[in-house]
Amino acid sequence: MDVSPFPYQGPLLPEQVEVRTELVADLIERVSERRVTALIGPRRFGKTTVLRKVAADVIAASTTVVWVDLYEVSSMADLTIRLDESLARITGRGSELIRSLAAAASLNLGLVRVDLKGPAASRPDPVALLHTQFDVLTTLAERTGVLFVVDEFSSIDRVDGAAGLMRTHLQHHFQQMGIVFAGSEPSMMTTLFTDEAQPFYAQADLVEIDPFTDEEVVAVVQSGFRRTKRKAGPLPSHIAALANGHPQRTMQLADTCWRLVDVGDAATFETWEHGLDRTRSAVSNGLERLYSGMQSGEKDVLRVTANGGSIFGASADLLDLANGTARNAANRLLDRGHLRRDGKRYALVDPLFADWIRTRMPI
Ligand SMILES: Nc1ncnc2c1ncn2[C@@H]1O[C@H](COP(=O)(O)OP(=O)(O)OP(=O)(O)O)[C@@H](O)[C@H]1O
Ligand SMILES: [Mg+2]
């Protein structure tokens, strides 16, 4: 049994990344020019994948990468554990250096989790640990090229004082290391860098990760079929039309269809119909739960938008959706990453959610 060329759970390996070459090149240039960058985009749009590719490319050029994932970080102790694990994971050029710097600072690399679970009397202070860890990180950057990646940065907002502490240490080293923040709650990520009250106010260039273009969807689908000795037939254009540039949904639809085609065979229109049916059944329970948890104004906005209408237009009238309600609901949906702006209009981020709504509740 072949391995599917369309993995759709979790980030891809660097060698699996075929598109987004311009974004990768732009990020590498930013890193090398020491322009602090925040990569922003909806969930499942490929932020981590792109950054992994950037990391692999700069590692190949002898840069040391320190990668910390702040997903749902909930306390200073949690943060110091994440940073400890990141520092302990460093490979290549910086790995010996980090070990000697940590030893000199009496930091037990890789053991902070254990230390923090020890008897209360001997437990280290997480904030003091964080200061030491950032000192070690910035000293490392003075000695060798470092790229510091902070994935899921928006979660930092959950820990009082954490963004301030991080900024205090990093601000004097913006020239010495490459720094990229990435995050997926668009409104929170933007707020962290554009609200004057925030420690990182105006400290980074915001770069948005776009949906795939239709050409990119077609290229990804065709290449996966070709590499596994199958023909994609009419699939690429059907997938492009439905997936609306959503990277993970593109891969999921392609994977489901690919499983219906044997080696040496070509996909047909029936493959597409069958694959679409299977994908719809796989996601419908989850989407139903998601929809039923929405407030009524949000449901109406989603319905109108999924069906291609304007939230201030005729189909909104049909649902008795008042302008004020529509505006507030749309803002909440934008904040939570369910809607995105597509030119002047709104679009649902998830094309399968849009498809589910259209199929169940056409207007
Ligand atoms: N460059 C790419 N080529 C092909 N597929 C991609 C690419 N980038 C992302 N994908 C698809 O999208 C999925 C999600 O990618 P990834 O985890 O990098 O996104 P993310 O934006 O970091 O998501 P999250 O918000 O969950 O952190 C991957 O499993 C893959 O199916
Ligand atoms: Mg990610």
Side-chain angles (χ1 to χ4, degrees):
M1 174 72 191
D2 288 352
V3 175
S4 167
F6 303 111
Y8 63 91
Q9 280 145 345
L12 302 188
L13 299 171
E15 58 273 22
Q16 293 173 317
V17 180
E18 293 180 8
V19 291
R20 300 235 194 259
T21 37
E22 278 176 29
L23 179 59
V24 170
D26 177 47
L27 290 168
I28 290 176
E29 188 176 301
R30 290 167 169 282
V31 165
S32 65
E33 292 173 357
R34 307 294 189 232
R35 285 141 69 193
V36 182
T37 300
L39 181 64
I40 296 183
R43 306 235 41 202
R44 310 284 191 263
F45 258 45
K47 299 172 299 295
T48 305
T49 296
V50 152
L51 289 178
R52 278 188 170 189
K53 173 78 175 135
V54 168
D57 287 4
V58 303
I59 287 172
S62 300
T63 295
T64 297
V65 174
V66 181
W67 180 298
V68 60
D69 183 347
L70 299 188
Y71 183 68
E72 298 290 322
V73 68
S74 64
S75 64
M76 288 288 194
D78 196 5
L79 180 59
T80 191
I81 291 171
R82 309 270 181 117
L83 198 55
D84 176 55
E85 286 169 353
S86 311
L87 294 173
R89 235 186 355 250
I90 290 178
T91 53
R93 205 181 230 204
S95 81
E96 266 183 42
L97 192 50
I98 190 83
R99 265 156 240 295
S100 66
L101 291 173
S106 308
L107 203 60
N108 288 334
L109 264 201
L111 293 173
V112 165
R113 182 193 298 276
V114 179
D115 291 347
L116 285 172
K117 284 189 186 159
S122 62
R123 252 177 241 163
D125 168 25
V127 174
L129 274 175
L130 277 165
H131 283 298
T132 312
Q133 288 168 322
F134 276 111
D135 283 341
V136 165
L137 171 64
T138 51
T139 312
L140 179 75
E142 284 165 8
R143 309 269 177 88
T144 185
V146 167
L147 165 59
F148 185 39
V149 178
V150 188
D151 201 1
E152 301 288 353
F153 181 64
S154 33
S155 296
I156 194 110
D157 184 58
R158 306 185 53 200
V159 184
D160 269 353
L165 185 149
M166 208 183 231
R167 184 202 133 147
T168 304
H169 282 274
L170 293 182
Q171 64 177 345
H172 301 297
H173 297 85
F174 284 165
Q175 299 300 317
Q176 272 148 353
M177 60 176 132
I179 304 177
V180 182
F181 300 97
S184 48
E185 292 162 67
S187 69
M188 177 48 69
M189 268 304 274
T190 313
T191 303
L192 285 167
F193 296 99
T194 57
D195 176 351
E196 282 183 53
Q198 294 292 334
F200 280 95
Y201 168 66
Q203 300 282 356
D205 297 341
L206 304 189
V207 172
E208 282 191 33
I209 187 163
D210 293 324
F212 284 165
T213 59
D214 283 355
E215 290 74 34
E216 286 173 324
V217 172
V218 170
V220 164
V221 178
Q222 267 170 352
S223 151
F225 272 78
R226 204 178 303 125
R227 271 184 283 125
T228 52
K229 309 207 171 3
R230 290 155 170 85
K231 290 208 172 72
L235 286 179
S237 53
H238 290 298
I239 294 179
L242 184 70
N244 203 16
H246 189 294
Q248 188 258 350
R249 293 309 201 188
T250 296
M251 295 288 270
Q252 182 174 12
L253 286 161
D255 175 78
T256 314
C257 295
W258 179 89
R259 289 176 191 283
L260 302 170
V261 182
D262 289 329
V263 164
D265 283 356
T268 60
F269 183 68
E270 285 65 45
T271 316
W272 165 242
E273 286 187 317
H274 192 172
L276 178 58
D277 271 355
R278 281 200 182 187
T279 313
R280 281 175 168 156
S281 351
V283 297
S284 82
N285 281 347
L287 295 176
E288 185 162 356
R289 250 196 320 276
L290 179 63
Y291 186 77
S292 66
M294 300 276 175
Q295 295 177 12
S296 78
E298 295 168 356
K299 286 180 177 167
D300 290 346
V301 164
L302 289 169
R303 272 186 76 177
V304 172
T305 311
N307 283 286
S310 154
I311 60 169
F312 307 119
S315 24
D317 292 343
L318 220 75
L319 298 179
D320 286 341
L321 176 60
N323 282 359
T325 313
R327 192 172 301 111
N328 291 337
N331 284 336
R332 284 197 302 277
L333 291 165
L334 281 172
D335 282 357
R336 301 211 307 274
H338 293 298
L339 282 188
R340 63 180 169 86
R341 283 184 216 280
D342 189 359
K344 284 201 171 136
R345 308 182 69 94
Y346 293 114
L348 266 76
V349 166
D350 182 353
L352 290 182
F353 195 21
D355 171 74
W356 179 84
I357 293 171
R358 274 195 304 271
T359 315
R360 293 283 294 266
M361 293 162 285
I363 40 169

